[in-house]
Amino acid sequence: MAADLLHLVIRDPVAGPSAVPLLDGERITIGRAPTNHIVLQDDRASRSHAEIRPTKKGWVIRDLDSRNGTLVDGERLTDDRVLTAGETIQIGRIEILVSAGDPPTDPRGEPATAAGATNAMSAEHEVWQQSIVHRRARGRLLDDIRESADALPRVGRAAGELCRLSFALGKSATLATVASVALETAAPGVQAARGLILLPATLADVPTSGGVDASLVQPVATFPAGSAAGPIPEAAVATVLTTDEAVVACSVGATDATDDIVSTITAPIRLGGHPVGVLHTECRSRSHDTMADDLEFVMAVTDAVGVALENLAARETLSSKLASTATENERLRQRLRTESKIVGGSDALQGILGQVVRVATTKATVLIRGESGVGKELVASAIHEASDRTKGPFVCLNCAALSETLLESELFGHEKGSFTGATERKIGKFESAHKGTLFLDEIGEMGAAIQAKFLRALEGHAFERVGGSNRVQVDVRVVAATNRDLEEAVKAGDFRRDLYFRLKVVEILVPPLRKRPDDIELLAGHFLERFVAETGRRIEGFTPAAIEAMQAYHWPGNIRELRNCIERAVVLSQSPQIDAAELALSQLAAPGDTGKMAASRTGTYTPQSLDELERKHVMATLEATGGNKTKAASILGIERSTLDRKLARWAKK
């Protein structure tokens, strides 16, 4: 390094004058970016414009491919240049004077810049800037150690090599790479002529506790790199693995006066505190005085290797867990398809199964939404089957099928004599589903009076049976389903706002069958196979016309309608294949298609309310079924009780 003490005086018309000392071992960066040692307030300066660094020849300036270049005494800088006192560096409007000696205590007093100069920095910022002694964007210690290895003491060289080794090991992704990098540091460090590292073939072969037997290790790296392993020092390896001690051995008869001493250093590589491998080196022309230091260096290398192996093992374990999780998720999806009888391969269905897998392992309340007949109960069953409650009961209750009084009794149970007809105590659905899952279908039909009591039970509070005083505490997961627009029900005051938000912790939307055309043929085949097995009919499949008709049909009753359609066709078909005519597809409109249906019947569109259009469809369906309400409700895709309420409401008008 240059012995002369130099400093830089920066003449910046914006920031004002300042001074920076050039200290041995410190690299000075110059540019517009605030991370530089010398920050230039000039748009003509690049963010990283130039650097000044110490070398054996002195302080050298280098232009960092700047946009407008760097001038030294008026000459454009094209290569590295050694600086001398008195030279001026020009970058844009800013001059940097190279001066000898200590920097001035007040650079603003420098005659060339004192007049008219202003300091744009705040006083606090200026004081802080002047208090900076060293600034570095990138460390050069490792490079300096490498360049000046011969001039450093042995301990300094060893520390530098170990520091560089730690960086290299951190980037190594395999056992073989770790071993090679370590050996390339250890062998030259002790001037070894030959070296090798012996480890188990894979980390999976390493025992979780205790060391390994010498028979389980094999060469995974050699020095020089790529050379043959040669004879394995079995005695040394066995001794080190057994005693967990590093040893130095010299050839028989070797002394300090021997010109060609042959010594070996064998050190254990530890994982989890136990020896799992060996680093072995063979050295020539080494004196006994240096062997103790060589042994310390090799042991430091093996300790670093042990840490690297622990990191590799942790990464492999994490990768294995991630792969196992992916496999388990796929296995769970397959089990869900089998146990919950969810059939289909569309992207929409795969998304639902993915949601089921994620939510099943939690305790969150789930709200399943979708049109009637889309399979909401199957999704609820799938959640139950995939959860840790699968050994508990799966209890279902349709809230639309019961009056408000009976629904309360069904949910919470009742005591004997609590009302007329209560001849004995009855356990409610909440108690029946203890440690399991309670599925409440058509939750939007629940009456306002019972919603408050249900909300408290849903939040985990104890409840009382109808007519009772004893508190009942249960552990139940609730999954609810509805085909109603609950947001509109909340706005209309028919559904409690707090209950709505308590139910909607996780929402799963099941799309209608008409939006899952890829699943129609798969579902039809599934139902065909099922009903053929039940009836014993010899039906092999569908005609192309039947498949085309099913794909084009809008399925207002969704999967329930498809199932009933296939069952009817199996029962009535007299040919080996079901034809389009045997499907007997209805003319009912799908939800959202009512306007189109009204126009198609009359030839012209007649504006009318949704309630009036619904009434006409329901009455037409009743007429077509001969007044059979159960059959009409099935065709319409609604519950019988829902149909009764609609008819009663229309009768009052």
Side-chain angles (χ1 to χ4, degrees):
M1 300 292 178
D4 295 337
L5 182 63
L6 298 177
H7 68 273
L8 304 176
V9 176
I10 299 95
R11 298 168 175 171
D12 190 335
V14 176
S18 60
V20 174
L22 297 181
L23 304 175
D24 285 349
E26 181 175 4
R27 168 176 166 266
I28 302 296
T29 59
I30 306 171
R32 191 160 40 85
T35 54
N36 289 289
H37 298 79
I38 300 176
V39 180
L40 305 180
Q41 306 293 331
D42 193 324
D43 291 337
R44 283 168 288 187
S46 299
R47 292 183 61 81
S48 296
H49 197 101
E51 68 172 7
I52 299 174
R53 58 187 179 87
T55 66
K56 293 180 180 180
K57 297 179 181 180
W59 291 96
V60 171
I61 184 171
R62 171 184 295 176
D63 184 85
L64 299 178
D65 297 326
S66 64
R67 182 176 68 253
N68 295 313
T70 304
L71 302 180
V72 178
D73 280 351
E75 296 180 4
R76 190 180 183 91
L77 195 63
T78 58
D79 202 353
D80 290 1
R81 173 168 173 165
V82 178
L83 293 172
T84 58
E87 291 183 322
T88 301
I89 303 168
Q90 182 80 36
I91 299 177
R93 295 171 297 174
I94 299 172
E95 293 181 350
I96 302 175
L97 179 65
V98 182
S99 303
D102 294 323
T105 56
D106 185 3
R108 289 170 295 181
E110 204 270 340
T113 61
T118 58
N119 190 346
M121 294 185 296
S122 66
E124 180 181 356
H125 190 198
E126 180 182 355
V127 171
W128 178 79
Q129 287 280 1
Q130 292 181 1
S131 68
I132 297 174
V133 178
H134 299 288
R135 296 175 67 169
R136 291 179 177 83
R138 184 178 63 87
R140 291 185 50 85
L141 177 61
L142 299 182
D143 296 334
D144 290 344
I145 290 174
R146 190 182 298 110
E147 294 173 1
S148 310
D150 294 337
L152 289 173
R154 177 175 174 77
V155 174
R157 294 200 306 273
E161 290 300 318
L162 292 174
C163 185
R164 289 197 298 111
L165 173 63
S166 65
F167 280 97
L169 289 177
K171 300 177 182 178
S172 302
T174 65
L175 186 146
T177 306
V178 167
S180 298
V181 169
L183 199 54
E184 289 170 3
T185 297
V190 297
Q191 299 181 19
R194 174 176 175 262
L196 55 129
I197 286 182
L198 298 97
L199 285 166
T202 64
L203 289 174
D205 299 329
V206 176
T208 55
S209 61
V212 299
D213 188 81
S215 62
L216 297 179
V217 297
Q218 60 186 34
V220 294
T222 58
F223 181 85
S227 62
I232 297 176
E234 296 180 357
V237 172
T239 300
V240 169
L241 290 176
T242 302
T243 63
D244 192 20
E245 294 178 341
V247 296
V248 176
C250 297
S251 59
V252 178
T255 66
D256 287 339
T258 304
D259 292 335
D260 193 21
I261 298 174
V262 177
S263 61
T264 63
I265 301 176
T266 312
I269 298 173
R270 302 180 180 93
L271 182 62
H274 304 287
V276 298
V278 166
L279 190 157
H280 175 79
T281 61
E282 296 178 359
C283 315
R284 298 181 184 276
S285 301
R286 302 290 282 170
S287 68
H288 289 172
D289 293 338
T290 63
M291 289 179 188
D293 291 338
D294 290 343
L295 179 62
E296 291 291 340
F297 180 71
V298 171
M299 291 181 69
V301 172
T302 58
D303 287 343
V305 172
V307 174
L309 292 182
E310 288 182 1
N311 292 337
L312 273 182
R315 272 185 276 180
E316 288 187 5
T317 300
L318 179 59
S319 298
S320 176
K321 287 182 177 180
L322 291 175
S324 176
T325 300
T327 302
E328 176 64 18
N329 285 345
E330 181 57 32
R331 185 194 65 78
L332 183 56
R333 284 188 174 92
Q334 295 295 337
R335 182 165 70 88
L336 286 177
R337 292 190 185 95
T338 301
E339 296 183 2
S340 62
K341 301 177 182 177
I342 295 179
V343 178
S346 65
D347 292 341
L349 184 62
Q350 296 305 313
I352 292 172
L353 290 177
Q355 287 180 286
V356 168
V357 170
R358 290 190 294 273
V359 76
T361 55
T362 70
K363 297 181 179 180
T365 303
V366 182
L367 178 63
I368 306 172
R369 303 182 73 164
E371 296 176 9
S372 180
V374 294
K376 297 188 289 294
E377 184 173 345
L378 288 181
V379 175
S381 176
I383 294 173
H384 173 74
E385 292 295 336
S387 71
D388 55 1
R389 296 174 178 265
T390 183
K391 295 182 179 179
F394 179 68
V395 179
C396 301
L397 178 63
N398 190 323
C399 299
L402 301 168
S403 66
E404 190 167 301
T405 303
L406 289 177
L407 179 58
E408 182 180 10
S409 174
E410 284 293 318
L411 275 175
F412 305 109
H414 61 256
E415 298 289 349
K416 181 179 179 180
S418 58
F419 55 83
T420 303
T423 57
E424 58 183 13
R425 170 187 286 183
K426 179 180 178 180
I427 300 300
K429 300 299 184 183
F430 261 108
E431 289 183 76
S432 301
H434 183 58
K435 298 294 184 182
T437 303
L438 174 61
F439 173 60
L440 297 177
D441 198 9
E442 303 297 344
I443 190 71
E445 304 297 329
M446 182 180 288
I450 196 176
Q451 289 179 23
K453 185 174 182 179
F454 171 66
L455 175 60
R456 283 190 56 81
L458 187 61
E459 292 178 337
H461 296 287
F463 59 87
E464 299 172 357
R465 301 186 190 96
V466 177
S469 58
N470 295 328
R471 308 284 287 175
V472 180
Q473 185 73 54
V474 294
D475 176 16
V476 173
R477 180 185 193 165
V478 173
V479 178
T482 183
N483 59 7
R484 287 189 62 186
D485 187 339
L486 290 185
E487 289 84 352
E488 290 298 324
V490 170
K491 292 178 182 178
D494 297 332
F495 202 82
R496 291 178 63 102
R497 182 181 298 271
D498 49 2
L499 177 57
Y500 166 72
F501 287 113
R502 183 62 182 83
L503 287 171
K504 193 182 176 181
V505 177
V506 176
E507 185 178 59
I508 297 178
L509 180 62
V510 184
L513 187 57
R514 63 183 175 277
K515 294 186 178 180
R516 297 161 45 193
D518 295 342
D519 293 336
I520 292 175
E521 188 173 353
L522 291 174
L523 284 164
H526 167 74
F527 290 131
L528 177 64
E529 182 180 350
R530 169 182 167 182
F531 294 125
V532 164
E534 290 180 2
T535 61
R537 303 296 301 276
R538 294 184 178 181
I539 299 177
E540 299 174 356
F542 303 93
T543 65
I547 293 176
E548 184 179 353
M550 288 189 291
Q551 294 283 6
Y553 185 54
H554 53 278
W555 299 108
N558 292 296
I559 299 174
R560 181 185 291 118
E561 182 184 3
L562 175 62
R563 182 193 62 197
N564 295 341
C565 181
I566 301 302
E567 183 179 14
R568 179 175 60 250
V570 169
V571 171
L572 300 178
S573 179
Q574 298 180 1
S575 59
Q577 288 189 317
I578 295 176
D579 197 11
E582 296 172 310
L583 294 173
L585 301 177
S586 78
Q587 297 301 313
L588 288 176
D593 295 336
T594 52
K596 294 181 180 179
M597 292 299 295
S600 66
R601 288 175 181 164
T602 63
T604 58
Y605 175 69
T606 302
Q608 54 188 307
S609 68
L610 290 175
D611 185 66
E612 178 62 20
L613 187 59
E614 181 186 29
R615 187 187 69 80
K616 289 181 179 180
H617 279 307
V618 171
M619 300 308 294
T621 304
L622 272 173
E623 183 180 353
T625 59
N628 188 324
K629 293 183 179 180
T630 301
K631 188 174 181 179
S634 177
I635 294 174
L636 291 169
I638 60 176
E639 299 294 334
R640 167 66 185 271
S641 59
T642 303
L643 177 59
D644 288 336
R645 285 199 301 274
K646 291 179 181 294
L647 294 174
R649 181 170 43 112
W650 290 328
K652 294 178 181 179
K653 291 184 179 181

